Amino acid sequence: MTRPGGVWRNWGRSESVRPQRIEFPRTVEAVQRAVVAASVRGLPIKAVGAGHSFTGIAVAPGVLLELRDLSGLVSVDAERKRVTVLAGTRLHQIPALLAPYGLAMENLGDIDRQSVAGAISTGTHGTGARFGGIATQVVGATLVTASGELLRIDESENAELLPAVALGLGALGILVEVTLQCVPAFVLHALEQPETLEVVLAGLDDRVAAADHFEFYWFPHTDRAMTKTNTRLPESAPRHPLSPVGKWIDDAFVGSGLHQVACTTGKLIPGLVPPINRLSAKVWGDREFTDGSARVFATSRSVRFREMEYALPVENVRPAFDALRSLIDERGWRIGFPVEVRFAAADDRWLSTAHGRASGYIAVHRYWRDDPTEYFEAVEQIMLGYGGRPHWGKMHTLGADVLRERYPRFDDFVALRDRLDPERLFRNAYLDRVLGG
């Protein structure tokens, strides 16, 4: 399906473009035809998923491939607990596809609206010191290359390319199928509670090591943090889910409705941000429940925002976080969104923010109607000083010259991009900046 280009915008409203063509392929063959046609016309071509990246990584000024119809289950290998899905499948759709086989994804982030291809291509991750990002669950993929041919990558075909293709930034081709290594279905016991920030920081290393999944949110201008600790349990464990009313109050009324009011009020009257944050720290996230893993990992995010996130060597999280707190105080900013801190295991994906090192993540946010530039750029300088690597799908200012120094396999990835896409069919301004033109 093809139509003339309208204006495409990402979820955070930080990027927009009017493509020359928009196509909605429903089959792998349709993607191949679109790539060949774009090549003949000399038009760059990009695939987009849910538009949840805050950077321009999916911006497509030439041909935009909207993959929403390239969705669903392709095959299941029950013995090896592996499933292959089409690349446009949204993460929130996958649990229902896996349920009949008693399987689950090993770990997820706190948002599940993304397509599986978009999530792995940008390095989406959750939290948990023993677990990697979503790209580490990829054991196979099928890519449409710039020639329109299919390139299959798994342990028996082109295995050496998997660490590059599993987190490929959309620079190597169009992902059409992704094979995930799953685990037996499990439940999570969730404990979410407000705590004194200094207590959380004093015991941070021990808590991260002891928990399956630990993270915390700090509300600027307060001494409070909201901690989230998830413990993995067998699928047979008793479930005590949130009641529909309780979930609505916490997620829709407080997490979305009141937070929207707080953001709007804070923009109009910045002096009210500190008392609003103190109130939020008291009423947000004090609950305990047990439910299926996907229902616990992901939460609803309806208040639009913009985000920057940096991955740090895990030992640098505390000093970087302390420097961030001091920065906010020194500049006198009024920051209405909490700062999020998460953790992940080291992995072998060439462009993973956790490549070769156990990592902690510090994410900062601003309401989408506020200009984040001054805040984000100052925070970025702190993160760079502590060895930070920016999340590929979240706002940052770095180019290839700086990024090359931070990724041991950077030049190997660029060389593979040059081999698979010598004419730069899959380029855009963002990839030119972060990989070199």
Side-chain angles (χ1 to χ4, degrees):
M1 179 179 178
T2 306
R3 73 184 188 195
V7 175
W8 175 89
R9 296 181 177 86
N10 65 343
W11 182 85
R13 300 299 188 262
S14 53
E15 298 286 344
S16 64
V17 68
R18 185 183 293 276
Q20 294 186 46
R21 293 167 63 87
I22 300 178
E23 302 197 20
F24 296 79
R26 299 189 178 198
T27 66
V28 171
E29 293 76 16
V31 174
Q32 292 179 273
R33 290 193 297 269
V35 169
V36 171
S39 179
V40 170
R41 294 182 175 92
L43 295 175
I45 183 169
K46 301 293 296 177
V48 300
H52 260 273
S53 290
F54 299 91
T55 64
I57 193 167
V59 168
V63 180
L64 183 154
L65 290 186
E66 166 53 84
L67 298 186
R68 69 179 71 167
D69 295 327
L70 194 71
S71 176
L73 192 63
V74 176
S75 64
V76 178
D77 183 340
E79 183 177 351
R80 294 198 293 175
K81 301 180 179 60
R82 293 181 174 182
V83 301
T84 299
V85 296
L86 291 167
T89 308
R90 302 304 197 241
L91 292 178
H92 67 86
Q93 297 171 324
I94 294 180
L97 299 176
L98 299 183
Y101 306 97
L103 299 175
M105 291 184 66
E106 183 179 55
N107 198 11
L108 287 168
D110 54 8
I111 297 176
D112 61 4
R113 300 294 101 180
Q114 308 98 316
S115 69
V116 64
I120 65 173
S121 296
T122 57
T124 297
H125 63 93
T127 192
R130 294 183 290 278
F131 301 92
I134 295 177
T136 66
Q137 300 170 46
V138 176
V139 292
T142 300
L143 196 69
V144 176
T145 66
S147 65
E149 298 174 346
L150 294 180
L151 177 64
R152 177 65 190 170
I153 303 100
D154 58 25
E155 69 267 31
S156 60
E157 296 182 74
N158 305 299
E160 74 282 3
L161 301 184
L162 184 65
V165 172
L167 204 167
L169 309 186
L172 305 178
I174 306 294
L175 281 169
V176 288
E177 292 182 1
V178 176
T179 301
L180 301 168
Q181 179 64 60
C182 298
V183 298
F186 62 100
V187 302
L188 287 171
H189 172 254
L191 179 62
E192 303 176 3
Q193 58 186 3
E195 301 184 50
T196 302
L197 178 62
E198 292 305 326
V199 170
V200 173
L201 294 176
L204 186 60
D205 292 345
D206 291 340
R207 295 179 76 161
V208 171
D212 290 324
H213 308 275
F214 176 80
E215 65 183 297
F216 74 90
Y217 295 80
W218 168 60
F219 295 84
H221 320 298
T222 80
D223 62 355
R224 305 291 286 174
M226 193 268 278
T227 62
K228 301 177 71 171
T229 305
N230 292 335
T231 302
R232 301 165 79 96
L233 300 172
E235 198 275 337
S236 59
R239 302 188 186 202
H240 304 285
L242 294 169
S243 69
V245 173
K247 184 175 178 59
W248 179 84
I249 290 174
D250 286 345
D251 293 343
F253 181 67
V254 176
S256 295
L258 290 185
H259 189 45
Q260 177 67 66
V261 172
C263 289
T264 302
T265 303
K267 178 172 178 56
L268 293 173
I269 312 175
L272 292 179
V273 169
I276 289 173
N277 282 7
R278 289 192 290 270
L279 176 61
S280 297
K282 293 179 181 179
V283 302
W284 216 0
D286 190 359
R287 59 190 186 179
E288 184 174 3
F289 59 100
T290 304
D291 208 342
S293 57
R295 294 176 61 84
V296 176
F297 280 135
T299 57
S300 174
R301 299 285 185 88
S302 63
V303 179
R304 213 176 294 276
F305 59 87
R306 294 170 180 173
E307 181 176 0
M308 181 178 73
E309 181 176 53
Y310 264 80
L312 308 163
V314 70
E315 64 272 14
N316 289 349
V317 169
R318 176 65 192 273
F321 182 79
D322 288 343
L324 167 60
R325 293 171 63 196
S326 297
L327 174 71
I328 292 174
D329 288 342
E330 292 166 3
R331 296 292 183 91
W333 294 323
R334 294 294 179 254
I335 307 299
F337 262 84
V339 175
E340 182 179 20
V341 181
R342 295 182 287 173
F343 302 88
D347 65 57
D348 67 347
R349 282 16 186 176
W350 292 0
L351 292 187
S352 168
T353 50
H355 178 88
R357 68 189 195 191
S359 299
Y361 293 83
I362 297 179
V364 294
H365 313 71
R366 297 250 34 193
Y367 182 48
W368 76 286
R369 294 187 182 279
D370 290 326
D371 182 357
T373 304
E374 184 181 6
Y375 178 39
F376 283 8
E377 289 186 354
V379 172
E380 184 172 60
Q381 291 307 305
I382 290 175
M383 300 304 153
L384 292 175
Y386 285 99
R389 297 168 175 165
H391 189 301
W392 297 105
K394 299 178 184 179
M395 298 171 76
H396 68 94
T397 68
L398 302 193
D401 54 340
V402 177
L403 292 165
R404 175 173 284 106
E405 301 169 354
R406 292 169 187 260
Y407 287 91
R409 303 300 299 269
F410 187 91
D411 286 328
D412 294 325
F413 184 90
V414 171
L416 180 60
R417 187 269 307 263
D418 291 345
R419 175 159 70 88
L420 293 179
D421 184 19
E423 302 300 323
R424 301 291 192 272
L425 188 65
F426 305 114
R427 75 185 301 174
N428 63 12
Y430 178 80
L431 291 182
D432 285 348
R433 172 163 68 89
V434 300
L435 296 178

